[in-house]
Amino acid sequence: MIELNGVAKTFDGAIHALQDVSFSVPTGTVCGLLGHNGAGKTTAIKILSTLLRPTSGHAIVAGYDVVRDPDRVRESIGTTGQVTALDWELTGRENLVLFGRLRGMRRKDARLRADVLIDQFDMEDAADRRVITYSIGMMRRIDIAAALVVSPKVLFLDEPTTGLDPRSRRAVWDTVASLSAQGATVLLTTQYLEEADALSDSIVVIDHGRVIANGTAEELKRRVGFSYCTVSPVNPADLSKIWAAVADLKDAQSDDESNTVSVPAPDGVVTFAEVFRRVDQIDVELADISLRKPSLDEVFLHITGNVST
């Protein structure tokens, strides 16, 4: 449903936003496109949605070339950008009807489709309020709904949950999962690695405009080649004591938010035993100590070179 072959994009003859990017996304699946800010994710989305022309290479969406058949591509896609494309002075319902009319729907059909989407996105209580009164999460939900006014074969979501609270983020996750189940193909850019792990059937990692990894989350996790030892104290105040005990171990990391210290364990149980020995010596009550697979966050840092090997 989505295919890029050797796609490159250069700005001003010197800035290489994309370089020889090739990957494909099967029909009815979710692909997570990951990368740091400036890695090229949004440029790729803009090319696939016909907002930019590639400098070289070919991109196919829903069977149509983005350069030779841009109108057919636009008929087949829905898009949401990092900033919502809503009229804040209109109500949520009026925005959906407006987008339907812009997509060529008759007024009656646009109203009926707006009703369906309002119900699907659980927005009945807010549908007739002006968008300017909405929370960020509500705006994002109506924005995604607007991209679905005409059911797309392909949906591009460019960091759709940025700035959302956990509950609103989960609501968007549920929506994306349901779209995939209905046969839509979704290309999702995100900086939340947990999000990509939860939603994506496949993952593409871009760094400095190049694809540096491609596969399922499990395949990428296996690429790291080692486990992690994670320690969590009962009392969060003891986290600093655990950190002091293991900080000299290579690439150990402390996370106050999750109340954990993680240590790469290339030697498996040998590393685990060493961490356990050190923590046992400082007499701290533990909530958990375990040997686990790497998280997608750790895989990303490892692949992009931010954790030494």
Side-chain angles (χ1 to χ4, degrees):
M1 189 56 70
I2 301 172
E3 186 172 356
L4 295 87
N5 291 305
V7 170
K9 181 62 181 179
T10 303
F11 294 100
D12 300 325
I15 302 173
H16 301 289
L18 295 177
Q19 304 180 64
D20 193 27
V21 170
S22 299
F23 65 87
S24 60
V25 184
T27 302
T29 64
V30 179
C31 176
L33 188 60
L34 309 183
H36 296 293
N37 287 335
K41 305 186 303 295
T42 297
T43 299
I45 292 286
K46 286 184 176 180
I47 288 174
L48 291 168
S49 56
T50 75
L51 296 176
L52 285 175
R53 291 172 65 98
T55 304
S56 60
H58 301 281
I60 306 294
V61 176
Y64 304 109
D65 187 284
V66 298
V67 174
R68 293 197 298 267
D69 298 301
D71 291 340
R72 292 293 185 90
V73 171
R74 292 177 194 130
E75 290 173 359
S76 304
I77 67 174
T79 64
T80 66
Q82 295 180 25
V83 179
T84 56
L86 302 171
D87 187 325
W88 287 21
E89 295 303 317
L90 299 180
T91 67
R93 189 185 307 275
E94 289 168 341
N95 267 281
L96 294 178
V97 172
L98 173 62
F99 275 89
R101 298 286 286 159
L102 291 172
R103 293 297 298 267
M105 299 176 71
R106 295 179 179 178
R107 186 177 299 277
K108 180 180 179 181
D109 293 336
R111 286 174 174 169
L112 289 173
R113 181 59 176 162
D115 291 343
V116 170
L117 290 168
I118 287 166
D119 180 66
Q120 179 181 341
F121 281 76
D122 193 24
M123 294 287 288
E124 293 90 345
D125 293 342
D128 296 308
R129 286 169 35 202
R130 290 192 304 161
V131 167
I132 197 170
T133 68
Y134 284 9
S135 67
I136 294 175
M138 293 166 64
M139 286 185 188
R140 178 56 73 185
R141 285 155 66 190
I142 284 291
D143 192 49
I144 294 176
L148 303 174
V149 166
V150 176
S151 297
K153 294 180 179 178
V154 178
L155 180 63
F156 298 116
L157 300 177
D158 194 6
E159 300 191 13
T161 61
T162 297
L164 299 190
D165 61 80
R167 178 176 295 180
S168 297
R169 188 176 301 146
R170 283 285 178 181
V172 172
W173 289 13
D174 291 342
T175 299
V176 173
S178 68
L179 291 171
S180 177
Q182 295 169 32
T185 303
V186 180
L187 184 62
L188 165 77
T189 75
T190 179
Q191 294 191 44
Y192 298 108
L193 283 299
E194 178 191 6
E195 182 167 276
D197 205 354
L199 295 176
S200 301
D201 299 293
S202 62
I203 292 172
V204 176
V205 182
I206 292 184
D207 194 35
H208 294 93
R210 294 183 181 275
V211 173
I212 61 171
N214 190 349
T216 66
E218 287 303 312
E219 287 170 345
L220 296 183
K221 288 174 183 178
R222 286 197 293 269
R223 282 188 54 173
V224 172
F226 54 80
S227 300
Y228 277 74
C229 179
T230 300
V231 187
S232 299
V234 170
N235 184 353
D238 289 332
L239 190 68
S240 60
K241 298 178 183 177
I242 296 174
W243 170 244
V246 303
D248 63 310
L249 296 176
K250 189 175 182 181
D251 295 325
Q253 296 182 12
S254 179
D255 186 343
D256 291 339
E257 185 175 345
S258 63
N259 189 39
T260 60
V261 170
S262 294
V263 180
D267 298 320
V269 294
V270 174
T271 304
F272 177 87
E274 175 62 16
V275 172
F276 185 86
R277 183 187 65 80
R278 294 186 182 201
V279 173
D280 186 54
Q281 289 179 344
I282 62 175
D283 193 27
V284 168
E285 185 179 1
L286 298 182
D288 182 64
I289 180 168
S290 61
L291 197 62
R292 58 166 177 80
K293 293 180 180 180
S295 68
L296 198 57
D297 295 69
E298 289 157 345
V299 171
F300 179 76
L301 293 172
H302 183 83
I303 290 173
T304 57
N306 290 289
V307 174
S308 57
T309 59

Short mmCIF file of all heavy atoms in Angstrom, two decimals, residues 160-210:
data_model
loop_
_atom_site.label_atom_id
_atom_site.label_comp_id
_atom_site.label_asym_id
_atom_site.label_seq_id
_atom_site.Cartn_x
_atom_site.Cartn_y
_atom_site.Cartn_z
N PRO A 160 0.72 12.24 16.21
CA PRO A 160 -0.67 12.59 16.57
C PRO A 160 -0.93 12.78 18.04
O PRO A 160 -1.94 13.37 18.42
CB PRO A 160 -1.47 11.41 16.01
CG PRO A 160 -0.52 10.26 16.07
CD PRO A 160 0.83 10.86 15.73
N THR A 161 -0.06 12.27 18.91
CA THR A 161 -0.34 12.36 20.35
C THR A 161 0.59 13.31 21.09
O THR A 161 0.59 13.33 22.32
CB THR A 161 -0.25 10.96 21.00
OG1 THR A 161 1.07 10.44 20.84
CG2 THR A 161 -1.26 10.01 20.38
N THR A 162 1.36 14.10 20.36
CA THR A 162 2.25 15.06 21.02
C THR A 162 1.44 16.05 21.85
O THR A 162 0.47 16.64 21.37
CB THR A 162 3.07 15.83 19.97
OG1 THR A 162 3.90 14.92 19.27
CG2 THR A 162 3.94 16.89 20.64
N GLY A 163 1.79 16.19 23.12
CA GLY A 163 1.12 17.14 23.99
C GLY A 163 -0.14 16.61 24.66
O GLY A 163 -0.77 17.33 25.43
N LEU A 164 -0.51 15.36 24.40
CA LEU A 164 -1.72 14.81 24.99
C LEU A 164 -1.43 14.19 26.35
O LEU A 164 -0.36 13.68 26.60
CB LEU A 164 -2.34 13.74 24.08
CG LEU A 164 -2.79 14.17 22.68
CD1 LEU A 164 -3.57 13.05 22.03
CD2 LEU A 164 -3.62 15.44 22.73
N ASP A 165 -2.44 14.22 27.22
CA ASP A 165 -2.32 13.53 28.49
C ASP A 165 -2.46 12.02 28.25
O ASP A 165 -2.93 11.59 27.18
CB ASP A 165 -3.40 14.02 29.46
CG ASP A 165 -4.79 13.76 28.94
OD1 ASP A 165 -5.28 12.62 29.05
OD2 ASP A 165 -5.39 14.70 28.37
N PRO A 166 -2.06 11.19 29.21
CA PRO A 166 -2.08 9.73 29.00
C PRO A 166 -3.44 9.18 28.58
O PRO A 166 -3.53 8.30 27.73
CB PRO A 166 -1.64 9.17 30.36
CG PRO A 166 -0.77 10.25 30.92
CD PRO A 166 -1.41 11.53 30.49
N ARG A 167 -4.54 9.71 29.16
CA ARG A 167 -5.86 9.19 28.81
C ARG A 167 -6.20 9.52 27.35
O ARG A 167 -6.70 8.65 26.61
CB ARG A 167 -6.93 9.78 29.74
CG ARG A 167 -8.34 9.32 29.40
CD ARG A 167 -9.35 9.85 30.40
NE ARG A 167 -9.13 9.30 31.72
CZ ARG A 167 -9.89 9.61 32.78
NH1 ARG A 167 -10.87 10.47 32.65
NH2 ARG A 167 -9.63 9.06 33.95
N SER A 168 -5.94 10.75 26.92
CA SER A 168 -6.22 11.14 25.54
C SER A 168 -5.33 10.36 24.57
O SER A 168 -5.76 9.99 23.48
CB SER A 168 -6.00 12.64 25.36
OG SER A 168 -6.90 13.38 26.15
N ARG A 169 -4.08 10.12 24.99
CA ARG A 169 -3.17 9.36 24.14
C ARG A 169 -3.71 7.94 23.93
O ARG A 169 -3.69 7.41 22.82
CB ARG A 169 -1.78 9.32 24.78
CG ARG A 169 -0.71 8.70 23.88
CD ARG A 169 0.65 8.79 24.55
NE ARG A 169 1.00 10.17 24.83
CZ ARG A 169 1.69 10.58 25.86
NH1 ARG A 169 2.10 9.72 26.77
NH2 ARG A 169 1.97 11.86 26.03
N ARG A 170 -4.21 7.34 25.01
CA ARG A 170 -4.78 5.99 24.90
C ARG A 170 -5.98 5.98 23.97
O ARG A 170 -6.21 5.02 23.23
CB ARG A 170 -5.19 5.49 26.28
CG ARG A 170 -4.03 5.03 27.13
CD ARG A 170 -3.50 3.68 26.67
NE ARG A 170 -2.35 3.26 27.45
CZ ARG A 170 -1.69 2.14 27.25
NH1 ARG A 170 -2.07 1.33 26.27
NH2 ARG A 170 -0.65 1.82 27.99
N ALA A 171 -6.80 7.05 24.01
CA ALA A 171 -7.97 7.13 23.13
C ALA A 171 -7.54 7.15 21.67
O ALA A 171 -8.16 6.50 20.81
CB ALA A 171 -8.80 8.37 23.47
N VAL A 172 -6.47 7.89 21.37
CA VAL A 172 -5.96 7.93 20.01
C VAL A 172 -5.42 6.55 19.62
O VAL A 172 -5.62 6.08 18.50
CB VAL A 172 -4.87 9.01 19.85
CG1 VAL A 172 -4.20 8.92 18.48
CG2 VAL A 172 -5.47 10.40 20.04
N TRP A 173 -4.72 5.89 20.55
CA TRP A 173 -4.21 4.54 20.27
C TRP A 173 -5.35 3.60 19.87
O TRP A 173 -5.24 2.83 18.92
CB TRP A 173 -3.52 3.98 21.50
CG TRP A 173 -2.21 4.61 21.85
CD1 TRP A 173 -1.70 5.77 21.36
CD2 TRP A 173 -1.27 4.12 22.81
NE1 TRP A 173 -0.48 6.04 21.95
CE2 TRP A 173 -0.20 5.05 22.83
CE3 TRP A 173 -1.24 3.01 23.64
CZ2 TRP A 173 0.91 4.87 23.66
CZ3 TRP A 173 -0.14 2.84 24.47
CH2 TRP A 173 0.93 3.75 24.48
N ASP A 174 -6.45 3.67 20.64
CA ASP A 174 -7.59 2.80 20.34
C ASP A 174 -8.14 3.09 18.94
O ASP A 174 -8.52 2.16 18.21
CB ASP A 174 -8.69 3.00 21.38
CG ASP A 174 -8.31 2.48 22.77
OD1 ASP A 174 -7.35 1.67 22.85
OD2 ASP A 174 -8.94 2.89 23.75
N THR A 175 -8.15 4.37 18.57
CA THR A 175 -8.64 4.74 17.25
C THR A 175 -7.75 4.19 16.15
O THR A 175 -8.23 3.63 15.16
CB THR A 175 -8.71 6.28 17.13
OG1 THR A 175 -9.61 6.79 18.12
CG2 THR A 175 -9.20 6.69 15.75
N VAL A 176 -6.45 4.33 16.32
CA VAL A 176 -5.52 3.82 15.32
C VAL A 176 -5.65 2.31 15.18
O VAL A 176 -5.68 1.77 14.05
CB VAL A 176 -4.07 4.20 15.68
CG1 VAL A 176 -3.08 3.52 14.73
CG2 VAL A 176 -3.89 5.71 15.64
N ALA A 177 -5.76 1.61 16.30
CA ALA A 177 -5.89 0.15 16.25
C ALA A 177 -7.17 -0.26 15.54
O ALA A 177 -7.18 -1.22 14.75
CB ALA A 177 -5.87 -0.41 17.67
N SER A 178 -8.26 0.48 15.76
CA SER A 178 -9.53 0.13 15.12
C SER A 178 -9.48 0.39 13.62
O SER A 178 -10.05 -0.36 12.83
CB SER A 178 -10.68 0.93 15.74
OG SER A 178 -10.58 2.31 15.45
N LEU A 179 -8.77 1.44 13.21
CA LEU A 179 -8.63 1.74 11.78
C LEU A 179 -7.89 0.63 11.06
O LEU A 179 -8.26 0.20 9.96
CB LEU A 179 -7.90 3.07 11.59
CG LEU A 179 -8.66 4.33 12.03
CD1 LEU A 179 -7.73 5.53 11.99
CD2 LEU A 179 -9.87 4.54 11.15
N SER A 180 -6.82 0.16 11.68
CA SER A 180 -6.06 -0.94 11.09
C SER A 180 -6.92 -2.19 10.98
O SER A 180 -6.89 -2.90 9.97
CB SER A 180 -4.81 -1.22 11.94
OG SER A 180 -4.10 -2.33 11.44
N ALA A 181 -7.72 -2.44 12.02
CA ALA A 181 -8.59 -3.61 12.01
C ALA A 181 -9.63 -3.53 10.90
O ALA A 181 -10.11 -4.55 10.40
CB ALA A 181 -9.28 -3.76 13.36
N GLN A 182 -9.98 -2.30 10.49
CA GLN A 182 -10.96 -2.10 9.42
C GLN A 182 -10.32 -2.11 8.03
O GLN A 182 -11.00 -1.93 7.03
CB GLN A 182 -11.68 -0.76 9.63
CG GLN A 182 -12.53 -0.72 10.89
CD GLN A 182 -13.01 0.68 11.21
OE1 GLN A 182 -13.24 1.51 10.32
NE2 GLN A 182 -13.18 0.98 12.49
N GLY A 183 -8.99 -2.34 7.98
CA GLY A 183 -8.32 -2.47 6.69
C GLY A 183 -7.53 -1.27 6.22
O GLY A 183 -6.92 -1.31 5.14
N ALA A 184 -7.55 -0.17 6.99
CA ALA A 184 -6.77 1.00 6.61
C ALA A 184 -5.28 0.74 6.86
O ALA A 184 -4.91 0.00 7.77
CB ALA A 184 -7.22 2.23 7.39
N THR A 185 -4.45 1.36 6.05
CA THR A 185 -3.00 1.29 6.23
C THR A 185 -2.55 2.59 6.88
O THR A 185 -2.92 3.68 6.42
CB THR A 185 -2.29 1.10 4.88
OG1 THR A 185 -2.80 -0.08 4.26
CG2 THR A 185 -0.79 0.98 5.06
N VAL A 186 -1.79 2.51 7.96
CA VAL A 186 -1.43 3.69 8.74
C VAL A 186 0.09 3.83 8.79
O VAL A 186 0.79 2.87 9.13
CB VAL A 186 -1.99 3.61 10.17
CG1 VAL A 186 -1.61 4.86 10.97
CG2 VAL A 186 -3.50 3.42 10.15
N LEU A 187 0.58 5.03 8.47
CA LEU A 187 1.98 5.38 8.68
C LEU A 187 2.02 6.41 9.79
O LEU A 187 1.47 7.51 9.65
CB LEU A 187 2.62 5.92 7.40
CG LEU A 187 4.13 6.21 7.50
CD1 LEU A 187 4.91 4.95 7.80
CD2 LEU A 187 4.64 6.85 6.21
N LEU A 188 2.66 6.05 10.88
CA LEU A 188 2.63 6.84 12.11
C LEU A 188 4.04 7.31 12.45
O LEU A 188 4.95 6.49 12.61
CB LEU A 188 2.08 5.96 13.24
CG LEU A 188 2.25 6.40 14.68
CD1 LEU A 188 1.24 7.49 15.00
CD2 LEU A 188 2.06 5.22 15.63
N THR A 189 4.23 8.63 12.57
CA THR A 189 5.48 9.12 13.12
C THR A 189 5.24 9.47 14.58
O THR A 189 4.18 9.99 14.94
CB THR A 189 6.02 10.36 12.38
OG1 THR A 189 5.26 11.51 12.76
CG2 THR A 189 5.96 10.18 10.88
N THR A 190 6.19 9.17 15.42
CA THR A 190 6.02 9.43 16.84
C THR A 190 7.37 9.51 17.52
O THR A 190 8.34 8.91 17.06
CB THR A 190 5.16 8.34 17.51
OG1 THR A 190 5.04 8.63 18.91
CG2 THR A 190 5.78 6.96 17.36
N GLN A 191 7.41 10.27 18.62
CA GLN A 191 8.60 10.28 19.46
C GLN A 191 8.37 9.46 20.73
O GLN A 191 9.26 9.35 21.56
CB GLN A 191 8.97 11.72 19.83
CG GLN A 191 9.40 12.53 18.62
CD GLN A 191 10.01 13.85 19.01
OE1 GLN A 191 10.80 13.94 19.93
NE2 GLN A 191 9.64 14.91 18.30
N TYR A 192 7.17 8.89 20.87
CA TYR A 192 6.86 8.04 22.01
C TYR A 192 7.11 6.59 21.59
O TYR A 192 6.32 5.99 20.85
CB TYR A 192 5.42 8.21 22.45
CG TYR A 192 5.08 9.61 22.92
CD1 TYR A 192 4.28 10.45 22.16
CD2 TYR A 192 5.57 10.09 24.14
CE1 TYR A 192 3.97 11.73 22.58
CE2 TYR A 192 5.26 11.37 24.58
CZ TYR A 192 4.47 12.19 23.79
OH TYR A 192 4.16 13.46 24.22
N LEU A 193 8.23 6.02 22.07
CA LEU A 193 8.59 4.69 21.65
C LEU A 193 7.59 3.65 22.16
O LEU A 193 7.32 2.65 21.49
CB LEU A 193 10.00 4.36 22.12
CG LEU A 193 11.18 4.98 21.32
CD1 LEU A 193 11.15 4.50 19.89
CD2 LEU A 193 11.21 6.49 21.38
N GLU A 194 7.02 3.90 23.33
CA GLU A 194 5.98 3.01 23.85
C GLU A 194 4.80 2.95 22.89
O GLU A 194 4.19 1.90 22.68
CB GLU A 194 5.52 3.51 25.22
CG GLU A 194 4.39 2.68 25.84
CD GLU A 194 3.77 3.34 27.05
OE1 GLU A 194 4.13 4.50 27.35
OE2 GLU A 194 2.92 2.71 27.69
N GLU A 195 4.49 4.09 22.29
CA GLU A 195 3.39 4.17 21.33
C GLU A 195 3.66 3.32 20.10
O GLU A 195 2.81 2.55 19.65
CB GLU A 195 3.21 5.64 20.93
CG GLU A 195 2.08 5.93 19.98
CD GLU A 195 1.83 7.43 19.93
OE1 GLU A 195 1.09 7.91 20.82
OE2 GLU A 195 2.36 8.11 19.04
N ALA A 196 4.87 3.44 19.56
CA ALA A 196 5.23 2.63 18.40
C ALA A 196 5.21 1.15 18.73
O ALA A 196 4.77 0.32 17.92
CB ALA A 196 6.62 3.05 17.90
N ASP A 197 5.68 0.82 19.92
CA ASP A 197 5.72 -0.58 20.34
C ASP A 197 4.30 -1.16 20.44
O ASP A 197 4.03 -2.30 20.06
CB ASP A 197 6.42 -0.70 21.69
CG ASP A 197 7.04 -2.08 21.92
OD1 ASP A 197 6.84 -2.98 21.09
OD2 ASP A 197 7.74 -2.24 22.93
N ALA A 198 3.37 -0.35 20.96
CA ALA A 198 2.01 -0.81 21.18
C ALA A 198 1.20 -0.92 19.89
O ALA A 198 0.36 -1.81 19.75
CB ALA A 198 1.29 0.12 22.15
N LEU A 199 1.46 -0.03 18.92
CA LEU A 199 0.59 0.08 17.76
C LEU A 199 1.13 -0.54 16.48
O LEU A 199 0.36 -0.95 15.61
CB LEU A 199 0.29 1.57 17.48
CG LEU A 199 -0.51 2.32 18.53
CD1 LEU A 199 -0.63 3.78 18.12
CD2 LEU A 199 -1.89 1.71 18.70
N SER A 200 2.45 -0.59 16.34
CA SER A 200 3.03 -0.85 15.03
C SER A 200 3.21 -2.33 14.72
O SER A 200 3.69 -3.10 15.55
CB SER A 200 4.40 -0.15 14.92
OG SER A 200 4.26 1.24 15.11
N ASP A 201 2.83 -2.70 13.50
CA ASP A 201 3.15 -4.03 12.99
C ASP A 201 4.59 -4.08 12.49
O ASP A 201 5.23 -5.13 12.51
CB ASP A 201 2.19 -4.39 11.84
CG ASP A 201 0.74 -4.42 12.29
OD1 ASP A 201 0.40 -5.31 13.09
OD2 ASP A 201 -0.03 -3.55 11.86
N SER A 202 5.08 -2.94 12.02
CA SER A 202 6.47 -2.83 11.59
C SER A 202 7.00 -1.46 11.97
O SER A 202 6.22 -0.53 12.20
CB SER A 202 6.59 -3.03 10.07
OG SER A 202 5.87 -2.02 9.36
N ILE A 203 8.32 -1.35 12.04
CA ILE A 203 8.96 -0.10 12.46
C ILE A 203 10.11 0.21 11.51
O ILE A 203 10.88 -0.68 11.14
CB ILE A 203 9.48 -0.20 13.90
CG1 ILE A 203 8.30 -0.29 14.88
CG2 ILE A 203 10.37 0.98 14.27
CD1 ILE A 203 8.70 -0.60 16.30
N VAL A 204 10.19 1.48 11.12
CA VAL A 204 11.31 1.97 10.31
C VAL A 204 11.99 3.08 11.10
O VAL A 204 11.33 4.01 11.58
CB VAL A 204 10.83 2.53 8.95
CG1 VAL A 204 11.99 3.12 8.16
CG2 VAL A 204 10.14 1.42 8.14
N VAL A 205 13.30 2.96 11.28
CA VAL A 205 14.06 3.98 12.01
C VAL A 205 14.88 4.79 11.02
O VAL A 205 15.65 4.23 10.23
CB VAL A 205 15.00 3.35 13.06
CG1 VAL A 205 15.73 4.43 13.84
CG2 VAL A 205 14.22 2.45 14.01
N ILE A 206 14.69 6.11 11.03
CA ILE A 206 15.42 7.02 10.16
C ILE A 206 16.37 7.86 11.00
O ILE A 206 15.99 8.36 12.07
CB ILE A 206 14.46 7.94 9.37
CG1 ILE A 206 13.66 7.13 8.35
CG2 ILE A 206 15.22 9.05 8.67
CD1 ILE A 206 12.75 7.99 7.48
N ASP A 207 17.59 8.01 10.54
CA ASP A 207 18.58 8.84 11.22
C ASP A 207 19.36 9.61 10.16
O ASP A 207 19.89 9.02 9.22
CB ASP A 207 19.52 7.98 12.06
CG ASP A 207 20.33 8.81 13.05
OD1 ASP A 207 19.80 9.81 13.56
OD2 ASP A 207 21.49 8.46 13.30
N HIS A 208 19.39 10.94 10.29
CA HIS A 208 20.06 11.80 9.32
C HIS A 208 19.62 11.49 7.89
O HIS A 208 20.43 11.44 6.96
CB HIS A 208 21.58 11.66 9.44
CG HIS A 208 22.13 12.17 10.74
ND1 HIS A 208 22.31 11.36 11.84
CD2 HIS A 208 22.51 13.41 11.12
CE1 HIS A 208 22.79 12.08 12.85
NE2 HIS A 208 22.91 13.33 12.44
N GLY A 209 18.31 11.28 7.72
CA GLY A 209 17.75 11.10 6.39
C GLY A 209 17.90 9.73 5.78
O GLY A 209 17.50 9.51 4.64
N ARG A 210 18.46 8.78 6.53
CA ARG A 210 18.66 7.42 6.01
C ARG A 210 17.94 6.40 6.88
O ARG A 210 17.85 6.57 8.10
CB ARG A 210 20.16 7.06 5.96
CG ARG A 210 20.98 7.89 4.98
CD ARG A 210 22.42 7.39 4.96
NE ARG A 210 23.25 8.15 4.05
CZ ARG A 210 23.36 7.89 2.75
NH1 ARG A 210 22.69 6.86 2.24
NH2 ARG A 210 24.13 8.62 1.98
#
